[in-house]
Amino acid sequence: MSNSTEMPSNPIKAGWESPSNIALIKYWGKHGKQLPRNSSVSFTLSTAATRTFVTIKDENRTGKVELDFIFNGKENQAFSTRVEKFLNSICDEYFTFLKKYSIHIDTSNSFPHSSGIASSASGMSALALCLCDIENQLNDKTNFDENFYLKASEVSRLGSGSACRSIYPEVAVWGHHEDIPGSSDEYAIGIGHQIHPVFKSFHDDILIISAGEKSVSSTAGHNLMEGNPFAPVRYQQANQRMKSLITALKQGNISDFGKIAEDEAMTLHALMMCSDPSYILMEEGTLSVIRKIKKFREQTSIPVFFTLDAGPNVHVLYPDEVENQVNSFIQDELKPYCNEGRIIRDKVGTGPEKIS
Ligand code: DP6
């Protein structure tokens, strides 16, 4: 994909807001340069998002990336080091301008950093979109065509695998799957246009069970899959479930959708428990909430389901038409399990937006 070398006479700035996403079929296991062991599919969210501005200005003669990084209005050494390492890793192949100018990044999250919500998907996708936008400006291009988004997705993936799916509205697939035309291990594609309308207004209320730092990072968890004896079977299962879930998403089959989403959450955490060393990221509250959701569904027949990411927080998934009943249930029965009663009420969203 194209690389740019033009010299800007003035500072060039780009700003994008990009959302988080929640995987329904999980990416868990990777190889090579952030390539997935199986394909995954996610809902793009709308409330949990990152806003990032990137400015390139004075000439830089140091031969490496020169970064000045602000997170939520303040310097943040840990994030700055991670981003600088990432930019150094992509500059030669993707954006040569990164070594030629000093880079200023100003980024902030719409959700509190201490909420236990992963910000790498929204953060890396917002950054990748800004870099592609600056490249466009350097090349006097004004359109955001398919290749723009493909490159943004590919670059996001190199920052954090799941981030590549946040580039697209509604529903995105990452990882080659024989039944999904255009799917690739290198970048995600949007499949929102193929999805039944009932899923386009689906809710995802994120119950913050614990806001603490995870004991095992996702990256370490992916690496542990390489020695997990169940891994080959898991990758086959994921591909099979992809097929069934895509069918359910197209047909608007909420009960099939919910069963697969819940099975995936349980499988993800089972894989953690049978890694070597084994570990548990669920908390007591996670299990209590899962039991309550299943019981409520059995007793009322209201279609409400859960999924989990690589942590203790529970994502409560349900269609728009049962919003009021589910909201009362969450307030009355699930909120007591949340850290300081925290819940992020999110929904399927329309994807990243340029900030003008
Ligand atoms: C459980 O994308 O955070 O949320 O590629 O190492 O940055 P890295 O990992 P990351 O892993 C996400 C794992 C997951 C499932 C998913 O989002 O598909």
Side-chain angles (χ1 to χ4, degrees), residues 31-49:
H31 65 106
K33 266 190 158 185
Q34 296 268 97
L35 297 167
R37 288 286 186 194
N38 62 263
S39 53
S40 57
V41 59
S42 56
F43 279 153
T44 299
L45 298 178
S46 80
T47 308

Side-chain angles (χ1 to χ4, degrees), residues 21-28 30 34 40-42 82 118 120-121 157 159-163 165 174 214 218-220 222 268 272 308-311:
N21 68 76
I22 180 69
L24 304 162
I25 301 295
K26 310 293 181 181
Y27 145 58
W28 200 240
K30 63 177 169 181
Q34 296 268 97
S40 57
V41 59
S42 56
R82 179 171 176 194
S120 64
R157 178 200 106 227
S160 176
S162 57
R165 297 184 309 239
W174 171 38
K214 287 188 282 189
S218 286
T219 303
H222 287 291
L268 171 70
M272 296 174 192
L308 306 168
D309 59 15

Side-chain angles (χ1 to χ4, degrees), residues 25 40-41 171-173 177 179-180 191 194-195 241-252 260:
I25 301 295
S40 57
V41 59
V171 181
V173 165
H177 191 287
D179 292 348
I180 306 169
I191 59 157
Q194 299 177 33
I195 297 308
R241 283 183 177 162
M242 274 297 281
K243 214 177 157 96
S244 311
L245 183 65
I246 298 287
T247 305
L249 288 169
K250 285 181 179 168
Q251 292 175 345
I260 300 166

Side-chain angles (χ1 to χ4, degrees), residues 206-226:
I206 311 168
L207 310 185
I208 310 300
I209 305 294
S210 162
E213 187 91 352
K214 287 188 282 189
S215 58
V216 180
S217 71
S218 286
T219 303
H222 287 291
N223 291 337
L224 286 172
M225 281 297 280
E226 293 302 295

Side-chain angles (χ1 to χ4, degrees), residues 259-273:
K259 175 169 174 12
I260 300 166
E262 291 191 350
D263 288 349
E264 271 293 291
M266 300 303 258
T267 303
L268 171 70
H269 284 260
L271 288 164
M272 296 174 192
M273 287 189 244

